Amino acid sequence: MINLKQLSIDIRKLKKNKKKIVFTIGSTSKRGITRSYLTPIRETMRFSIFGIIFYNINDIKKVINKVYDLVDYIFIDCEKKIYKNPNILEIINYFKIKNKRKFNKKLFYTYKANDLTVEAADKFLEKKCLNYFTGNNYVFGIIGAGNIGSKLALKINERGGEVYIFRRNFASLKTVTKALNLIKNRYEKKKILIPKSISDLVKKCNILISCSNSNKPIISEKLLKKQKDLKFILDVGKQSVTKDGIIYAQKNLIEIFRLDISNSLISMIESYIKYDKYILKKIGRKKIDNVSYVSGGYLGRKNDLIVDDINNIKKIYGLADGKGDFKKRFGNISLRRY
């Protein structure tokens, strides 16, 4: 149950900070959870970020009724995880109904929450196990080879890590694993592997990652006893470890981490807004005093000057060849010097 009264108090407090308010709208495929909930408030130098994970359109409408005229940017998860969930257009239209006068499509962004989770997990693993892909004998075991688990397995493999993946449907597991091994970097000799069972996976790995969407904890004490050299557990799917599993892990100094996506979320929001405000404006071609300039990745014609920003030229990088590459590179020389 969402506390709408507290939501109103919180958002009005945020408004007094004079930061831009970002509101995120997402959902989850985790089974067993049916109640919508508000996400934690995250603060940066420029933004206050919070949102809703929803399970039905009524909950979204109730929250939008409270925040529609107070938020500055809206980020909507474009990955549909629940069959009857409203689509992006329906959500945007509801904002429009509530506030036609202030409605501006440019304030809406879409993002992929699953990809955000994969990036956060990959970054965590890289920092937690410095150089874990080069030299150390770490073996990764991923429980749950769905959207998140399979993408993470591919990232680990392409960094040079040895990785096993498991899911309950063995036929689907074989298909997913075959596909991953077909699209992975061909110069990486290691293959993404399939264990005989979930017990076999735990025996083989010393870093255990749960990406399961099961509504019941699956990593138990009995399962953890299969591996005597387990370094840590990363719980991506949330609440994947049973009570006896947690007690066993604590007694045996096995660390358990719950994935935090805060940094990835903040970076994504800042980069999307920056791209819209600054980068898009640089993309194009402009003629000044019979000289043509291009910037921002715009494909220039032959002998167009490739510059840093057609609206405020400071650096000239070279001459375009008319085919999407440089005819001649100048380095980063100034306009005045050129």
Side-chain angles (χ1 to χ4, degrees):
M1 184 70 179
I2 296 173
N3 189 333
L4 296 173
K5 186 177 180 180
Q6 187 60 49
L7 172 62
S8 296
I9 294 169
D10 289 343
I11 195 167
R12 291 188 186 281
K13 282 182 181 177
L14 292 176
K15 203 67 180 174
K16 290 178 182 178
N17 293 337
K18 296 184 179 179
K19 293 180 183 179
K20 295 292 185 182
I21 296 179
V22 178
F23 188 72
T24 63
I25 299 174
S27 59
T28 178
S29 61
K30 189 169 179 66
R31 300 172 187 177
I33 300 173
T34 56
R35 291 183 179 179
S36 304
Y37 61 91
L38 296 173
T39 60
I41 296 171
R42 297 172 171 97
E43 298 277 357
T44 72
M45 293 290 289
R46 297 175 55 212
F47 303 111
S48 295
I49 304 163
F50 76 111
I52 181 176
I53 301 297
F54 71 92
Y55 289 88
N56 60 72
I57 187 64
N58 290 329
D59 287 341
I60 290 186
K61 287 182 176 180
K62 287 175 185 176
V63 170
I64 291 175
N65 286 341
K66 295 290 182 183
V67 307
Y68 71 91
D69 61 342
L70 297 171
V71 297
D72 299 290
Y73 301 103
I74 298 95
F75 280 73
I76 306 170
D77 183 2
C78 61
E79 295 172 324
K80 194 159 187 174
K81 304 182 183 76
I82 300 174
Y83 175 66
K84 292 184 179 180
N85 268 5
N87 60 36
I88 295 165
L89 190 58
E90 287 175 300
I91 295 171
I92 292 175
N93 281 340
Y94 193 72
F95 272 97
K96 187 176 182 178
I97 291 167
K98 293 303 299 181
N99 199 343
K100 288 182 179 179
R101 186 172 58 84
K102 287 186 178 180
F103 182 77
N104 183 351
K105 276 190 176 180
K106 290 184 179 179
L107 301 180
F108 291 86
Y109 298 82
T110 61
Y111 71 103
K112 297 175 72 178
N114 282 352
D115 286 0
L116 201 65
T117 301
V118 173
E119 290 298 324
D122 181 54
K123 192 174 292 184
F124 172 85
L125 291 171
E126 182 187 8
K127 297 302 177 183
K128 175 64 180 172
C129 314
L130 189 61
N131 298 323
Y132 72 109
F133 295 114
T134 55
N136 291 323
N137 295 319
Y138 290 132
V139 180
F140 299 83
I142 298 177
I143 300 171
N147 188 294
I148 293 172
S150 56
K151 288 175 180 176
L152 185 57
L154 186 62
K155 280 184 173 288
I156 292 172
N157 172 268
E158 291 189 331
R159 287 180 181 270
E162 185 175 346
V163 58
Y164 287 80
I165 58 174
F166 177 83
R167 66 187 291 172
R168 286 162 293 199
N169 187 321
F170 196 73
S172 295
L173 176 61
K174 287 175 69 176
T175 302
V176 168
T177 307
K178 184 179 179 181
L180 291 173
N181 283 317
L182 282 171
I183 64 176
K184 73 179 183 67
N185 189 323
R186 61 178 177 170
Y187 298 113
E188 176 49 58
K189 294 180 181 179
K190 292 176 185 174
K191 287 189 174 182
I192 295 169
L193 303 167
I194 300 175
K196 295 176 183 177
S197 63
I198 190 169
S199 295
D200 185 47
L201 176 136
V202 177
K203 283 180 185 177
K204 292 179 182 300
C205 75
N206 47 26
I207 294 176
L208 184 59
I209 305 162
S210 174
C211 298
S212 171
N213 67 352
S214 173
N215 61 334
K216 294 180 180 179
I218 53 175
I219 301 173
S220 63
E221 178 184 1
K222 183 179 178 182
L223 202 59
L224 292 178
K225 284 182 175 178
K226 302 288 183 182
Q227 171 58 266
K228 300 298 181 184
D229 188 33
L230 196 62
K231 304 299 181 186
F232 66 85
I233 300 165
L234 176 60
D235 190 2
V236 177
K238 311 292 172 60
Q239 296 178 321
S240 296
V241 189
T242 63
K243 287 183 180 179
D244 65 348
I246 293 171
I247 293 168
Y248 176 83
Q250 291 170 344
K251 284 182 178 178
N252 290 274
L253 304 179
I254 301 168
E255 295 179 300
I256 303 175
F257 298 94
R258 180 183 181 276
L259 184 67
D260 184 356
I261 67 162
S262 295
N263 288 336
S264 294
L265 177 67
I266 290 167
S267 297
M268 180 272 295
I269 286 170
E270 290 183 337
S271 66
Y272 274 34
I273 293 172
K274 182 179 179 181
Y275 187 87
D276 223 26
K277 274 192 169 183
Y278 306 109
I279 307 301
L280 277 178
K281 292 178 181 178
K282 294 181 180 181
I283 300 173
R285 184 173 186 265
K286 184 178 282 189
K287 204 166 189 176
I288 305 170
D289 297 331
N290 292 321
V291 179
S292 294
Y293 302 87
V294 292
S295 67
Y298 191 91
L299 198 152
R301 299 176 189 177
K302 192 174 183 179
N303 294 323
D304 281 358
L305 283 171
I306 302 169
V307 299
D308 55 346
D309 183 353
I310 55 171
N311 303 303
N312 183 23
I313 303 170
K314 292 181 179 178
K315 298 288 183 182
I316 299 180
Y317 302 137
L319 283 175
D321 67 356
K323 297 180 287 185
D325 206 346
F326 285 88
K327 177 182 175 182
K328 187 177 181 180
R329 293 179 186 270
F330 298 152
N332 297 318
I333 67 170
S334 66
L335 177 64
R336 182 177 292 180
R337 183 182 167 195
Y338 177 78

